[in-house]
Amino acid sequence: MSDTPDSAVRTYTEQHRAAFLADLAEWLRIPSVSAQPEHDGDVRRSAEWLSGKLAETGFPVTEIWETPGAPAVFAEWPSQDPDAPVVLVYGHHDVQPAAREDGWSTDPFDPVIRDGRMYGRGAADDKGQVFFHTLGVRAHLAATARTTPAVHLKLLVEGEEESGSPHFRALAEERAGRLAADVVIVSDTGMWDENTPTVCTGMRGLAECEIELSGPGQDIHSGSFGGAVPNPATELARLVAALHDTEGRVAVPGFYDGVAELTGTERALFAELPFDEETWLRTAASRATAGEAGYSTLERIWARPTAEVNGIGGGYQGAGSKTVIPSSAFVKLSFRLVAGQDPERIQEVVRSWVEDRIPAGIRHRITFSPATRPCLTPLDHPALQAVARAMGRAFGTKILFTREGGSGPAADLQDVLGAPVLFLGISVPSDGWHGPDEKVELDLLLKGVETTAHLWGELADALR
């Protein structure tokens, strides 16, 4: 093998593979389940373990940042180059609950390697994808003969992502000066599949609400009063039925104001992906696609805003019949948002839409949960192109582009720091996030190491 930077990175990675995987397995044995109070001590132990390991890696600054909930870990490695760009890497060290009786083949917190895969809770989501940065930066230094990274490198690894990141926004605002960066790299995402390396360019935002309609002061007889007083369940059904028009568009006035429309280039890039709708439908446990007219399935779930009914109820729910007009009914709605939409504005237009449709005799209450902003990196952004080049060097193939249909705290960093967010992940759909037998493909995990080893130099050149 020729002595090139790329081959040097690969050689260094292979030489340190065994120790890297042993360290990762040690971290996975800490059951850092943020959602279960009995594991609070384990979440703290996970933060302490990571802080120590980052110091061992070479980061001269490692700190545990307290929150009203679980602790986060911050690390910093300044570049000797005073003009080097500042890069902040985001991830999380908490994991989803897991137990053998959930369907795991082995103990979820006693990781095992089988057939080139490491099984264990957090292997992919997100400890494995956080941890590849440790070996990656060391490979970067070894291959370039540098003593410090080519960028001013910072890490922020939170401990509450799997619990909805309730304190993350406040932490980012409080520590904005320490977190200031030219670009944010999120390593809590994935690729299209094992054979199709991809870079995610954005995630949708999220606004959620619960609407409760109240009518009579109690359930009343439908024979004695039906047809003469308003029925909350009937009015709720009308409200939900009016949420979309016949073309599948959200019918709330003002909902699409500011939406960043898909470009022809983006639609063409989505079409390059090896998407099979029948396979996708099986994964979705569904029989047919549906949604906004004029858009493909991928475009609908990645790049278009949506409104969904997540739960609905009211009136008698038991066996048999009970002929009443219910006193109340409710619906839970979620709105996935895309670039150009402001969650606070969406809350305003939804609230106005509901109020305009409530008839006399019906009282209503609408309650919104904390919102998440959408984030999107333009395809021509030099930092995004640097990520694609670094991944292309590691994988030796063309890198395609995707988006994520879900939401996450990355948008808070974009909002608070005013820096573009980019996504770098090597997980694949078969890794089984949040489910039994979560795993990570070891070859892909090592490709993540190689990608980050190349990335710091690519970003340093791109952002000068």
Side-chain angles (χ1 to χ4, degrees):
M1 182 178 289
S2 61
D3 186 18
T4 67
D6 289 15
S7 63
V9 163
R10 188 161 296 120
T11 298
Y12 187 92
T13 299
E14 285 299 325
Q15 288 174 342
H16 294 82
R17 173 187 179 118
F20 168 75
L21 295 179
D23 283 343
L24 176 58
E26 182 179 314
W27 194 19
L28 295 181
R29 292 188 184 97
I30 302 175
S32 50
V33 182
S34 61
Q36 296 175 333
E38 61 267 30
H39 286 294
D40 287 353
D42 294 315
V43 179
R44 178 166 297 279
R45 189 157 57 94
S46 171
E48 293 169 348
W49 186 95
L50 177 59
S51 178
K53 190 57 64 174
L54 291 173
E56 182 182 312
T57 296
F59 281 85
V61 176
T62 61
E63 300 171 0
I64 293 178
W65 285 358
E66 301 294 341
T67 77
V73 177
F74 174 78
E76 188 171 12
W77 197 335
S79 174
Q80 288 181 340
D81 181 355
D83 298 322
V86 182
V87 179
L88 173 67
V89 174
Y90 165 87
H92 64 90
H93 67 92
D94 64 320
V95 299
Q96 282 277 314
R100 182 69 182 270
E101 55 267 27
D102 295 338
W104 285 77
S105 301
T106 56
D107 186 333
F109 295 106
D110 187 12
V112 298
I113 293 178
R114 297 194 307 270
D115 302 322
R117 304 177 177 100
M118 179 178 286
Y119 291 84
R121 178 58 89 219
D125 181 23
D126 184 35
K127 289 180 176 177
Q129 300 201 95
V130 167
F131 202 57
F132 67 54
H133 286 281
T134 62
L135 183 52
V137 70
R138 285 160 46 205
H140 164 66
L141 298 179
T144 59
R146 297 182 60 95
T147 58
T148 64
V151 299
H152 188 113
L153 186 58
K154 302 179 182 180
L155 269 68
L156 177 62
V157 186
E158 73 158 313
E160 296 184 305
E161 195 275 343
E162 298 293 7
S163 296
S165 301
H167 304 105
F168 184 73
R169 173 82 183 210
L171 178 67
E173 291 174 340
E174 176 188 351
R175 305 277 189 162
R178 297 288 304 279
L179 296 172
D182 296 302
V183 66
V184 177
I185 302 292
V186 173
S187 283
D188 186 22
T189 185
M191 308 191 310
W192 179 261
D193 63 26
E194 290 85 342
N195 301 310
T196 313
T198 54
V199 174
C200 176
T201 64
M203 297 183 75
R204 293 193 292 186
L206 176 64
E208 300 174 273
C209 70
E210 180 171 343
I211 303 168
E212 183 179 3
L213 302 188
S214 303
Q218 63 183 39
D219 290 358
I220 57 177
H221 194 282
S222 64
S224 300
F225 302 102
V229 297
N231 184 320
T234 300
E235 297 305 330
L236 185 76
R238 291 190 175 116
L239 188 72
V240 171
L243 188 58
H244 297 88
D245 65 17
T246 57
E247 297 296 307
R249 286 175 60 87
V250 180
V252 176
F255 183 78
Y256 290 93
D257 291 353
V259 165
E261 298 291 340
L262 273 165
T263 66
T265 299
E266 289 172 311
R267 300 187 87 165
L269 288 172
F270 287 178
E272 286 187 46
L273 293 162
F275 176 71
D276 180 78
E277 194 162 273
E278 291 301 319
T279 300
W280 182 86
L281 280 171
R282 286 195 294 272
T283 303
S286 301
R287 297 180 179 86
T289 61
E292 187 179 2
Y295 295 91
S296 70
T297 298
L298 289 182
E299 291 167 356
R300 289 169 180 165
I301 60 177
W302 286 350
R304 296 300 295 167
T306 62
E308 294 293 343
V309 176
N310 305 129
I312 190 168
Y316 180 64
Q317 305 288 320
S321 65
K322 185 179 182 183
T323 54
V324 297
I325 296 173
S327 63
S328 65
F330 74 91
V331 64
K332 296 176 183 288
L333 303 177
S334 63
F335 302 89
R336 297 288 176 171
L337 312 178
V338 299
Q341 289 181 296
D342 178 70
E344 285 73 25
R345 172 60 178 162
I346 294 301
Q347 292 178 4
E348 291 176 7
V349 298
V350 170
R351 191 183 300 277
S352 295
W353 177 76
V354 172
E355 291 173 349
D356 289 344
R357 302 189 72 85
I358 302 301
I362 294 290
R363 301 179 304 279
H364 79 282
R365 181 176 64 186
I366 180 168
T367 306
F368 286 92
S369 302
T372 301
R373 293 180 177 277
C375 58
L376 178 66
T377 305
L379 287 171
D380 59 355
H381 195 288
L384 178 62
Q385 294 304 313
V387 173
R389 284 194 300 273
M391 183 173 273
R393 290 169 66 180
F395 282 85
T397 189
K398 180 181 179 180
I399 305 301
L400 302 181
F401 295 92
T402 65
R403 294 194 197 178
E404 290 279 349
S407 307
D412 285 329
L413 290 172
Q414 176 182 267
D415 196 35
V416 172
L417 304 181
V421 170
L422 300 105
F423 299 87
L424 171 59
I426 50 75
S427 184
V428 289
S430 62
D431 285 345
W433 290 24
H434 298 194
D437 284 350
E438 178 185 346
K439 55 85 176 172
V440 67
E441 300 283 337
L442 297 185
D443 287 346
L444 296 183
L445 188 64
L446 274 294
K447 290 299 182 185
V449 171
E450 292 182 37
T451 298
T452 61
H454 301 314
L455 179 58
W456 310 133
E458 292 283 1
L459 281 174
D461 292 339
L463 298 180
R464 288 186 189 278

